[in-house]
Amino acid sequence: MNHHLLRNMVLTAISTICLMMQAAQYEVSSPNGKLTVTVNTDAAITWSVSYNGTVVLLPSTIDIRIQQGDKVLGIGKIGKVAKRQITNSFATPFYKKEKVDDNYGQLLMYSNQKVQIEVRAYDDGAAYRLISSNAKPLVVNSETVEYRFADDYQAFVPYVNDNRGGERYCYSFESYYDEQPLSQMFPDSLTITPLAVCLPGGMKAIVMDAGVENYPGMFLKKGEGNVLKGEFAPYPLEQEIGGFDRLNLVPTRRADYIARLDGKQSLPWRAIVITERDADILNCDMAQRLAPECRISDTSWIRPGKVAWDWWNNTNITGVSFLSGMNTDTYLYYIDFAARNQIEYIIIDEGWSGKESLTDHLSPDIDLERLIAHGQQKGVGIILWSSWRNLIGNNPTSGAAVTDAVMKHYAAMGIKGFKVDFFDRDDQQVIASAYEIAACAAKHHLYLDYHGLKPFGIQRAYPNIFNFEGVKGLENSKWEPRAGDGPLHNQPRYDVTAPYLRMLAGPMDYTPGAMTNAMKDCFFGNNDHPMSQGTRVHQMAMYTTFEAPLQMLADSPTQYMRNQECTDFIAQVPTTFDETIALDGKLGEYTVIARRKGTTWYLAVLTDWTPRDLTLNLSFLPAGQYQADIFTDGVNALKDATDYQHLRQIVTATDRLNIHLSSGGGWTAILKK
């Protein structure tokens, strides 16, 4: 062999080996090339993110402490690294669109301690997760998650408050947003996710976790400087009945670790959504992309829809010959109302069952069998309220038999599902329980509405879970105090903030539809006769704006019948869609959204207390004429928030609609060919 050729081959091989040994930095870019994730594996493993020349995240630590017996492991040293571009899509029949594109750049990094790091770079964000390939059981002592921002940016911060039983991690995941610089966050307080950070040039970065399974959800807290750090609820060892009205299971002793794993398992995603235009957040699919795939082989029995709800309106119906309340006659009336208005379900909320059982000590005033039979005759399904602890027999680790017995019993009777309330935790034990309940419900063809939890990815795995609460919804108006010349909290501003943040994680059970509406000067909290902040059309526009496969009509049948043309409009709005287009909007100020079901389009605009004049460009419409059924704030809405105008006109894709939004106002339309 030629000596020069042999020498060059040896040098090339040595250079390749040295490069592999010295390589400490790896990059992966999004499909459009604007977003880059850099992973550094020097002394510590960090990730950093840049977007179109803007540094979004400075190097931020990725780490974990795993224990097997006496051995404590970390991620270890990175060896093999694979890099590729993925092009994929999947069907989403119970979502805001019928298909989600899942295209990203990927890094797969393998360590010598059987911990893999998967990194994804999307056009609208980045994420990573740790994957354990250990064959033996282990515990996770801690996980280090950091989001280290480049400057002291303004943030929308949803702090944890109103803890159940005073326990740090026992919370309903319902928070208003404090708007403050990162440096001024309260260092002793936890926050929930998603949390937004305002970047230069109007860009936004939103921190969230996703794809959580058999692991605790992520809280955030202030780190040094402009850093957000993850915090996780330790594993509960002992708990007791307590919290609000003794509806919770409140941990009284927690372990010094956060999770116990059988060995092989993917941990949740640590994600950041990045957008140049606020409106694009309204149509972001990050939570769906990072969620587990659907685990129900036949979903043909799953039928989203709207539901008439009893609790918010305190079963206040009038003009009847019976005393309204939690009794058979009232719910027969609700069923008849739902049937007349093409509403698919009713809910029987708390009070139908005993305090400590879902099968014993049932209310003698409610004849479930008669109600189920009447509902079947009218084509209206019934959903029952339950506390989480009752559904699991007060035992999160061995309550599967109780859950199965309850669900088997009520499914056989003809009940359609359960609204499961007061989880109020997302430690590993509760997350595992949420999956067990969902699988059991799917086996019995039952629907679920989870309260006291925010969505975390399970909704794609089990689309029989229609809704999640974890939102400062309409119920808060029942007890909203006044402060000065108006309500303490700015609910209309929340209404145009939550769609960008809370709704990014998944559907939200806001429970809209108030027919008693008030401006700031007229509003007051009233538990038995509640009202909403803002205009009538503000409430109506929520049905298109807010994602919820099981969307509530919160007010009473009496109120809806008094306002029948509003009810007729609401009843037409679907709860899942084939296409969504985010037309315009600004976080905390207004939203403009269009959704399509078949050939019909549903449009909605919401504003905060600031009146606005906007121009709606209809160029997204396919060719042809559309009959537009429009509700807009009335000229006297500032004096009487119930005032509206109902208009009909022909529109095409060439039209521009000039719309005026009152203070706390809305605008909404249905466009039919």
Short mmCIF file of all heavy atoms in Angstrom, two decimals, residues 304-308 341-346 543 549-553 570-575:
data_model
loop_
_atom_site.label_atom_id
_atom_site.label_comp_id
_atom_site.label_asym_id
_atom_site.label_seq_id
_atom_site.Cartn_x
_atom_site.Cartn_y
_atom_site.Cartn_z
N PRO A 304 -68.27 14.23 21.52
CA PRO A 304 -68.25 15.53 22.20
C PRO A 304 -69.56 16.28 22.00
O PRO A 304 -70.37 15.94 21.13
CB PRO A 304 -67.08 16.26 21.51
CG PRO A 304 -66.27 15.18 20.88
CD PRO A 304 -67.24 14.12 20.49
N GLY A 305 -69.76 17.30 22.80
CA GLY A 305 -70.98 18.09 22.67
C GLY A 305 -71.07 19.13 23.76
O GLY A 305 -70.13 19.38 24.50
N LYS A 306 -72.24 19.72 23.88
CA LYS A 306 -72.51 20.74 24.90
C LYS A 306 -73.34 20.13 26.02
O LYS A 306 -74.00 19.11 25.84
CB LYS A 306 -73.20 21.95 24.27
CG LYS A 306 -72.25 22.77 23.38
CD LYS A 306 -72.92 23.96 22.77
CE LYS A 306 -73.86 23.55 21.67
NZ LYS A 306 -73.18 22.93 20.54
N VAL A 307 -73.30 20.81 27.16
CA VAL A 307 -73.95 20.26 28.35
C VAL A 307 -74.61 21.38 29.15
O VAL A 307 -74.02 22.44 29.36
CB VAL A 307 -72.94 19.47 29.22
CG1 VAL A 307 -71.74 20.33 29.60
CG2 VAL A 307 -73.59 18.91 30.46
N ALA A 308 -75.85 21.16 29.55
CA ALA A 308 -76.55 22.09 30.44
C ALA A 308 -76.14 21.78 31.87
O ALA A 308 -76.23 20.64 32.33
CB ALA A 308 -78.06 21.94 30.26
N ASN A 341 -83.11 22.28 22.59
CA ASN A 341 -82.05 23.16 22.09
C ASN A 341 -80.84 22.40 21.54
O ASN A 341 -79.77 22.99 21.38
CB ASN A 341 -81.62 24.12 23.20
CG ASN A 341 -82.70 25.13 23.53
OD1 ASN A 341 -82.87 26.13 22.84
ND2 ASN A 341 -83.47 24.85 24.59
N GLN A 342 -81.04 21.13 21.23
CA GLN A 342 -79.98 20.29 20.64
C GLN A 342 -78.71 20.29 21.48
O GLN A 342 -77.59 20.33 20.96
CB GLN A 342 -79.67 20.73 19.20
CG GLN A 342 -80.79 20.49 18.21
CD GLN A 342 -81.88 21.53 18.27
OE1 GLN A 342 -81.60 22.73 18.21
NE2 GLN A 342 -83.12 21.10 18.40
N ILE A 343 -78.89 20.26 22.79
CA ILE A 343 -77.76 20.15 23.73
C ILE A 343 -77.65 18.68 24.12
O ILE A 343 -78.62 18.07 24.57
CB ILE A 343 -77.99 21.05 24.95
CG1 ILE A 343 -78.04 22.52 24.50
CG2 ILE A 343 -76.89 20.86 25.98
CD1 ILE A 343 -78.57 23.47 25.55
N GLU A 344 -76.46 18.12 23.98
CA GLU A 344 -76.30 16.68 24.04
C GLU A 344 -76.37 16.09 25.44
O GLU A 344 -76.72 14.91 25.61
CB GLU A 344 -74.97 16.28 23.39
CG GLU A 344 -74.91 16.52 21.90
CD GLU A 344 -74.48 17.91 21.48
OE1 GLU A 344 -74.42 18.81 22.36
OE2 GLU A 344 -74.19 18.11 20.29
N TYR A 345 -75.99 16.87 26.47
CA TYR A 345 -75.86 16.30 27.81
C TYR A 345 -76.38 17.27 28.87
O TYR A 345 -76.49 18.48 28.63
CB TYR A 345 -74.39 15.99 28.12
CG TYR A 345 -73.72 15.10 27.10
CD1 TYR A 345 -72.90 15.63 26.11
CD2 TYR A 345 -73.92 13.73 27.13
CE1 TYR A 345 -72.29 14.82 25.17
CE2 TYR A 345 -73.31 12.90 26.19
CZ TYR A 345 -72.50 13.46 25.21
OH TYR A 345 -71.91 12.65 24.28
N ILE A 346 -76.67 16.72 30.05
CA ILE A 346 -76.83 17.52 31.25
C ILE A 346 -75.88 16.95 32.30
O ILE A 346 -75.47 15.78 32.23
CB ILE A 346 -78.27 17.54 31.80
CG1 ILE A 346 -78.64 16.17 32.42
CG2 ILE A 346 -79.26 17.96 30.74
CD1 ILE A 346 -79.84 16.22 33.35
N TYR A 543 -67.71 30.61 23.11
CA TYR A 543 -68.01 29.26 22.63
C TYR A 543 -67.16 28.87 21.43
O TYR A 543 -66.86 27.69 21.23
CB TYR A 543 -69.51 29.13 22.34
CG TYR A 543 -70.30 29.01 23.60
CD1 TYR A 543 -70.76 30.15 24.26
CD2 TYR A 543 -70.54 27.78 24.19
CE1 TYR A 543 -71.47 30.06 25.45
CE2 TYR A 543 -71.24 27.68 25.39
CZ TYR A 543 -71.69 28.82 26.02
OH TYR A 543 -72.36 28.72 27.21
N PRO A 549 -64.10 20.14 24.31
CA PRO A 549 -64.97 19.17 23.64
C PRO A 549 -66.29 18.93 24.35
O PRO A 549 -67.25 18.47 23.73
CB PRO A 549 -64.11 17.90 23.60
CG PRO A 549 -62.70 18.40 23.60
CD PRO A 549 -62.73 19.61 24.50
N LEU A 550 -66.34 19.21 25.65
CA LEU A 550 -67.60 19.19 26.40
C LEU A 550 -67.80 20.61 26.92
O LEU A 550 -67.32 20.96 27.99
CB LEU A 550 -67.54 18.19 27.55
CG LEU A 550 -68.84 18.00 28.34
CD1 LEU A 550 -69.88 17.25 27.51
CD2 LEU A 550 -68.59 17.27 29.66
N GLN A 551 -68.54 21.42 26.15
CA GLN A 551 -68.67 22.84 26.49
C GLN A 551 -69.96 23.10 27.27
O GLN A 551 -71.04 22.70 26.86
CB GLN A 551 -68.64 23.68 25.22
CG GLN A 551 -68.59 25.18 25.46
CD GLN A 551 -67.34 25.62 26.17
OE1 GLN A 551 -67.26 25.53 27.40
NE2 GLN A 551 -66.35 26.09 25.42
N MET A 552 -69.83 23.77 28.41
CA MET A 552 -70.96 24.01 29.30
C MET A 552 -71.83 25.19 28.86
O MET A 552 -71.33 26.16 28.29
CB MET A 552 -70.45 24.33 30.71
CG MET A 552 -69.58 23.28 31.33
SD MET A 552 -70.55 22.03 32.16
CE MET A 552 -69.24 20.98 32.79
N LEU A 553 -73.11 25.08 29.17
CA LEU A 553 -74.00 26.23 29.22
C LEU A 553 -74.28 26.45 30.70
O LEU A 553 -75.04 25.72 31.33
CB LEU A 553 -75.30 25.97 28.46
CG LEU A 553 -75.24 26.21 26.93
CD1 LEU A 553 -74.52 25.06 26.24
CD2 LEU A 553 -76.65 26.36 26.38
N ILE A 570 -75.68 29.88 20.29
CA ILE A 570 -74.73 29.07 21.06
C ILE A 570 -74.88 27.60 20.74
O ILE A 570 -73.90 26.86 20.60
CB ILE A 570 -74.94 29.34 22.57
CG1 ILE A 570 -74.48 30.75 22.94
CG2 ILE A 570 -74.19 28.30 23.41
CD1 ILE A 570 -74.89 31.18 24.34
N ALA A 571 -76.13 27.14 20.60
CA ALA A 571 -76.39 25.72 20.36
C ALA A 571 -75.81 25.23 19.04
O ALA A 571 -75.55 24.04 18.88
CB ALA A 571 -77.89 25.46 20.40
N GLN A 572 -75.58 26.15 18.10
CA GLN A 572 -75.04 25.75 16.80
C GLN A 572 -73.53 25.58 16.79
O GLN A 572 -72.99 24.95 15.88
CB GLN A 572 -75.41 26.81 15.75
CG GLN A 572 -76.87 26.95 15.45
CD GLN A 572 -77.09 28.02 14.40
OE1 GLN A 572 -76.71 27.87 13.23
NE2 GLN A 572 -77.69 29.13 14.81
N VAL A 573 -72.84 26.15 17.76
CA VAL A 573 -71.37 26.14 17.74
C VAL A 573 -70.86 24.75 18.13
O VAL A 573 -71.17 24.26 19.22
CB VAL A 573 -70.80 27.21 18.69
CG1 VAL A 573 -69.26 27.20 18.63
CG2 VAL A 573 -71.33 28.60 18.32
N PRO A 574 -70.07 24.11 17.28
CA PRO A 574 -69.52 22.79 17.63
C PRO A 574 -68.52 22.90 18.78
O PRO A 574 -68.11 24.00 19.17
CB PRO A 574 -68.82 22.34 16.34
CG PRO A 574 -69.26 23.28 15.28
CD PRO A 574 -69.62 24.56 15.96
N THR A 575 -68.09 21.76 19.29
CA THR A 575 -67.09 21.75 20.36
C THR A 575 -65.75 21.17 19.90
O THR A 575 -64.77 21.21 20.64
CB THR A 575 -67.60 20.98 21.58
OG1 THR A 575 -67.84 19.62 21.20
CG2 THR A 575 -68.89 21.59 22.10
#
